[in-house]
Amino acid sequence: MFTIGDFAKHGRVSVRMLRHYDALGLLRPARVDPFTGYRFYEAGQLARLNRVIALKELGFSLDQVGTILDERVATEEMRGMLRLRRAELEAAMAAAAARLVQVEARLRTIESEGSMPADDIVVKSLPPVRLAELAGIAESYEPEDISPVIGPLYEQLCRRVEEAGVLPAGPGLAYYEDAPGAEPGSAVLVHAGLPVAASVRAEDLGGGVRIVTLPAVERAATVVHRGSMDGVLPTAQALARWIDAHGHRSAGYARELTLACPEDPDQWVTELQEPLATTSCRRAAVTA
């Protein structure tokens, strides 16, 4: 048998907590000395202690823990509950990490206000491009809403292209439009595209994939962003300030041309291509 101190040490809990569990009837000592009142525990009681702690970590109250333990939840069921809790914690950590990236991006944007990276911005024409694409709706144009949509779209599109034995004719190109029926600046239609040759047909790539031709753009203000697209905000806003300062007017959402996409997102290289208004009307993508 273990003294309460030794049992607490092996169970990685405090003596005070063991006394509290005793008072609640969650974990009674195996024996209590009638003369000294000292509590003693058996090694087999560690299993119940582990269940108490695990259920607490799952968010159950101690009253609920007692009820569950009295009903003798099976080991496999306990494993399932812990796996679920682990998944919830991992999702919370990922969400917190994404929020941290957004906070850092906003901070960099604030710190860079007033600066005009004129040397980094180039006005050029963009040629027409024939794309195989998949599309989806994002709740807004903010990076935290775009990333969960465009990532899976590209994963599925790349898989479809590879399975069909099609070799992309160039780097990935994403473009955006206001979602049909949505208020401008709210929901966004996200297009994830890969350039393909004229011989590739939509039916070669499976349902849902469209072949579209993005028209040429007479003039676009372009800038290269280095790093994850979750942190694109400072680059995008610097481009917007440059456009305004030089008397131009944006003609729509910027296209995103992927120049490098290694496994580490911090090493990504993406060119933002924002079309500038001209005297002619801007044409939409046409289905091939």
Side-chain angles (χ1 to χ4, degrees):
M1 283 194 172
F2 299 107
T3 65
I4 190 171
D6 287 338
F7 190 75
K9 178 177 66 177
H10 290 296
R12 302 297 178 91
V13 296
S14 66
V15 169
R16 180 186 60 81
M17 189 58 67
L18 287 177
R19 292 187 179 125
H20 184 51
Y21 291 162
D22 181 13
L24 294 176
L26 286 175
L27 184 60
R28 300 286 194 189
R31 185 174 72 84
V32 178
D33 189 289
F35 300 104
T36 64
Y38 290 165
R39 297 171 173 88
F40 295 92
Y41 295 81
E42 296 176 344
Q45 291 181 282
L46 287 169
R48 184 175 178 90
L49 176 61
N50 290 335
R51 282 165 168 72
V52 171
I53 301 300
L55 289 167
K56 278 184 59 184
E57 292 296 323
L58 285 168
F60 292 106
S61 69
L62 290 179
D63 287 340
Q64 292 172 321
V65 169
T67 300
I68 293 172
L69 290 177
D70 289 342
E71 293 178 357
R72 298 188 178 184
V73 175
T75 299
E76 188 56 38
E77 187 175 355
M78 181 68 68
R79 288 196 189 101
M81 296 167 72
L82 287 173
R83 290 190 187 105
L84 176 61
R85 179 57 175 163
R86 180 178 63 188
E88 291 173 346
L89 290 172
E90 288 173 345
M93 289 172 63
R99 285 195 296 271
L100 179 59
V101 169
Q102 298 306 319
V103 169
E104 291 175 343
R106 290 285 179 182
L107 179 59
R108 289 196 302 274
T109 302
I110 292 171
E111 292 172 343
S112 65
E113 285 176 356
S115 63
M116 288 291 175
D119 294 341
D120 299 330
I121 295 174
V122 177
V123 175
K124 61 185 179 182
S125 62
L126 305 177
V129 56
R130 189 172 189 269
L131 297 175
E133 69 162 42
L134 287 172
I137 301 291
E139 292 183 5
S140 78
Y141 193 47
E142 295 182 31
E144 57 263 38
D145 289 329
I146 295 294
S147 293
V149 175
I150 198 167
L153 287 177
Y154 264 121
E155 288 177 7
Q156 184 180 0
L157 179 62
C158 289
R159 185 174 63 251
R160 296 276 195 92
V161 168
E162 183 178 357
E163 290 174 350
V166 173
L167 185 65
L173 180 66
Y175 68 100
Y176 305 89
E177 301 175 291
D178 290 323
E183 291 286 335
S186 57
V188 173
L189 184 59
V190 180
H191 300 266
L194 288 172
V196 293
S199 58
V200 178
R201 302 171 303 170
E203 50 266 33
D204 297 332
L205 304 174
V209 178
R210 294 197 316 156
I211 300 294
V212 302
T213 298
L214 285 184
V217 175
E218 183 178 334
R219 292 190 311 150
T222 66
V223 65
V224 173
H225 170 72
R226 301 180 186 278
S228 169
M229 292 302 288
D230 288 338
V232 74
L233 191 62
T235 307
Q237 290 196 357
L239 181 62
R241 290 195 299 270
W242 185 93
I243 290 172
D244 182 66
H246 287 76
H248 299 296
R249 184 166 58 86
S250 172
Y253 292 103
R255 298 178 183 180
E256 296 167 359
L257 180 67
T258 301
L259 301 178
C261 189
E263 189 170 336
D264 181 3
D266 290 337
Q267 303 301 314
W268 290 357
V269 181
T270 308
E271 184 179 69
L272 306 184
Q273 305 172 334
E274 186 153 347
L276 301 176
T278 63
T279 55
S280 60
C281 295
R282 179 169 172 259
R283 296 172 293 167
V286 295
T287 303

